[in-house]
Amino acid sequence: MRRKQLWAGMLAAVLCIGSLAGCGGEKDDAGSGDTGTAEQTEAKSDDGEDAETEETDSGDKKVVLWTWASGQFDLVQEKYFETHPDADWEFEEVVVPAEDYLTKLQQGYASGGDMPDLLMAEMGWRASAFSLDIWENLEAEPYNFDRSVLLDNVIGQITNDQDQVIGVENAVNPAFIMYKRDLAKEYLGTDDQKELEAMFQTYDDYITVGKEVYEKSGGTVHLFPGLQDVSNMMYQQKRDQNNVGEDGNLNVLGKVTPIFDTLEKMRDNNVCGNLTMNSTEWNNAYAGSEAILFPGASWSVTYTVEAYDPEGSAEGNWGMFTPAEGGFSWGGTCYGIYKNSDMKEEAWDFISWALLSKEGAEAMKEGSGFFLPVKSLYEDPEYTSGTRQSFGDQEINKFMMEEIAPNISDASLSIYDSLVADSVQMVAEMMGADASLTADQAVEEFQTDLGAKVPDLEIE
């Protein structure tokens, strides 16, 4: 493969919540590695600013990508070079932990240091990344990107405050409830998708049924693994509500107060376990028998279900259904081009093939299970056909892309999104650990935590 991998620090598991609010399927299971830096020299870009000379040790040209998901797009890269035999450049992946990515971009650009040719921005902190003056306008020459080729509800999340498209989304990320069929049959009486959807029409239904499950199991089984699973789902279902009000202050209490009210009821009725999302115990719950329902997104099939429950996946022990209050979007990553890159043409050729072409779409689907937000792809029913062994005979692709995706609300982004989400998840964890913490007290804790991050803003 034409790609060198360089390690940058200790890697963190990256099934993202809170500040990342999910990462479009980016699961980092590569472990740890030695810190490395590319051997680079500086050159002047067309606008006079310092830019990297894209040369490997052997003198070959390279396109540098900073990523928290090393190897995720190996197949896409292989297919690209197979179909582009005249390409005279190589990929180089520099692995940057997701929680450090935005800071590294800020510091690299401010200091005139190393920067990638291909930029990434995750949904949870995308507005902050887009506020940096480092992105190429992809609708300008020489790219001439036509935004009409993408699904309409994607455009708002790939444009900057000047209404310029500066990134291309790497996947549609419909989210839903995943369930373990054996436990659903035993404690819910059915593993049928439609019957489960009818059973759970409201969050109060989760509470009623979850209490019954806990009692029936003698306290060994919960409906959900933990309160954070629910708080994250409820928060993502409200993604169309911007966190900034017309007065410029944080308009979030109306969004988060109902979440804490629901978490208090769920905790007090033993609806949820006490597992922290992304912890080892939470990962193990996928293969365990202590929880029945798991909120998940399209990327969860590969990066949680099949990764953490290989035996159940082999037996087709998983299903999906639409959650109470509807499906939602969770995560998402877009790719753009660094404005001072010397490899703009090569970077755009790869982006446009991988994320906008039919051939790239097939490679993305085969390699990562990702579906691109390109309108024309959905004219072919074969694109969304098929399933995965982990979900038995359920047509999960059609379910995700035809039942959930069309009903996802548009994202309304702000530079404070990751801060708000982090505070919600922090307080949810507190509520799980302290049974005496009321919803009203949780709101106070949320305000205190968020207020410390943005002391100059009112929290309303």
Side-chain angles (χ1 to χ4, degrees):
M1 175 179 296
R2 300 194 189 191
R3 179 169 51 83
K4 292 184 178 180
Q5 296 183 359
L6 297 181
W7 298 96
M10 186 70 69
L11 306 184
V14 186
L15 266 174
C16 305
I17 62 172
S19 65
L20 304 183
C23 41
E26 285 81 354
K27 171 183 173 288
D28 176 4
D29 58 1
S32 63
D34 296 329
T35 300
T37 57
E39 182 176 327
Q40 297 161 329
T41 57
E42 293 184 349
K44 293 291 183 179
S45 63
D46 293 339
D47 59 6
E49 296 187 62
D50 288 341
E52 298 171 358
T53 298
E54 311 303 333
E55 300 289 339
T56 64
D57 294 341
S58 63
D60 294 329
K61 295 190 297 183
K62 62 185 178 181
V63 169
V64 177
L65 169 67
W66 289 359
T67 177
W68 53 83
S70 177
Q72 184 184 69
F73 298 139
D74 279 358
L75 180 63
V76 176
Q77 294 176 15
E78 290 174 5
K79 296 290 186 181
Y80 172 83
F81 285 114
E82 286 177 4
T83 57
H84 295 73
D86 295 331
D88 61 349
W89 55 274
E90 299 178 350
F91 263 107
E92 180 175 304
E93 287 188 354
V94 179
V95 180
V96 179
E99 64 270 22
D100 298 334
Y101 198 95
L102 181 60
T103 299
K104 189 171 175 64
L105 285 181
Q106 295 168 328
Q107 294 176 343
Y109 182 61
S111 68
D114 292 347
M115 289 288 285
D117 302 292
L118 283 174
L119 300 168
M120 295 173 66
E122 204 278 333
M123 186 64 73
W125 41 265
R126 184 170 300 182
S128 296
F130 278 8
S131 70
L132 302 176
D133 183 26
I134 61 176
W135 301 79
E136 282 282 272
N137 176 7
L138 300 180
E139 294 179 292
E141 295 282 352
Y143 314 105
N144 298 312
F145 173 71
D146 179 4
R147 64 174 66 189
S148 69
V149 305
L150 298 183
L151 299 175
D152 294 340
N153 65 357
V154 170
I155 302 303
Q157 62 198 41
I158 58 173
T159 52
N160 61 13
D161 58 7
Q162 301 176 57
D163 195 35
Q164 299 170 339
V165 173
I166 59 176
V168 180
E169 201 71 36
N170 79 339
V172 180
N173 297 282
F176 31 79
I177 295 288
M178 306 183 299
Y179 61 95
K180 304 196 72 169
R181 292 185 181 277
D182 55 349
L183 296 178
K185 286 180 180 179
E186 182 175 357
Y187 293 103
L188 305 179
T190 181
D191 69 342
D192 180 78
Q193 171 197 343
K194 295 303 181 184
E195 292 179 6
L196 291 171
E197 288 177 349
M199 185 181 300
F200 299 112
Q201 291 291 300
T202 68
Y203 275 85
D204 284 340
D205 292 336
Y206 290 134
I207 294 169
T208 299
V209 176
K211 180 180 180 180
E212 295 172 353
V213 167
Y214 184 78
E215 293 173 348
K216 182 178 180 179
S217 69
T220 62
V221 180
H222 296 87
L223 204 58
F224 294 98
L227 292 178
Q228 286 184 327
D229 293 272
V230 177
S231 62
N232 180 60
M233 176 168 60
M234 295 184 73
Y235 183 81
Q236 300 300 339
Q237 286 177 321
K238 302 173 186 291
R239 75 178 197 146
D240 59 324
Q241 301 176 25
N242 198 283
N243 288 322
V244 179
E246 294 182 359
D247 60 1
N249 288 316
L250 291 175
N251 182 25
V252 294
L253 294 183
K255 176 190 293 190
V256 304
T257 298
I259 295 177
F260 297 134
D261 288 340
T262 298
L263 296 186
E264 180 182 28
K265 296 174 185 176
M266 287 191 163
R267 180 198 62 198
D268 294 348
N269 286 279
N270 299 300
V271 177
C272 302
N274 197 26
L275 302 182
T276 300
M277 286 183 70
N278 300 328
S279 66
T280 299
E281 294 79 12
W282 183 84
N283 294 339
N284 292 339
Y286 282 84
S289 57
E290 300 83 19
I292 305 173
L293 307 183
F294 298 75
S298 51
W299 43 265
S300 300
V301 175
T302 300
Y303 297 102
T304 56
V305 170
E306 294 176 351
Y308 299 130
D309 185 25
E311 183 176 337
S313 297
E315 297 172 353
N317 192 39
W318 287 86
M320 297 178 182
F321 69 85
T322 305
E325 299 191 8
F328 54 102
S329 181
W330 180 6
T333 302
C334 72
Y335 289 77
I337 299 174
Y338 176 48
K339 72 174 188 179
N340 293 334
S341 168
D342 289 334
M343 299 290 287
K344 294 176 183 179
E345 180 180 348
E346 292 83 355
W348 175 244
D349 193 60
F350 176 74
I351 289 177
S352 58
W353 182 86
L355 303 182
L356 297 172
S357 76
K358 182 177 180 180
E359 295 79 9
E362 291 299 327
M364 289 287 286
K365 177 182 174 181
E366 180 184 353
S368 303
F370 288 2
F371 290 87
L372 303 183
V374 178
K375 290 178 181 177
S376 61
L377 296 173
Y378 299 93
E379 298 172 0
D380 180 2
E382 288 300 312
Y383 184 55
T384 56
S385 65
T387 185
R388 296 279 277 272
Q389 183 177 357
S390 48
F391 286 80
D393 59 2
Q394 183 179 5
E395 286 279 348
I396 63 169
N397 291 343
K398 289 190 178 297
F399 168 75
M400 291 189 292
M401 303 310 301
E402 297 180 11
E403 295 188 38
I404 300 293
N407 300 309
I408 293 174
S409 60
D410 295 355
S412 184
L413 306 180
S414 82
I415 62 173
Y416 305 107
D417 292 345
S418 63
L419 303 180
V420 176
D422 280 348
S423 293
V424 169
Q425 292 299 77
M426 185 273 292
V427 175
E429 186 174 14
M430 290 177 63
M431 294 183 73
D434 183 358
S436 69
L437 187 66
T438 67
D440 289 341
Q441 292 171 331
V443 173
E444 294 176 1
E445 293 285 354
F446 169 81
Q447 289 179 281
T448 299
D449 186 69
L450 184 58
K453 302 171 185 174
V454 285
D456 296 332
L457 297 181
E458 295 290 331
I459 301 175
E460 304 168 339

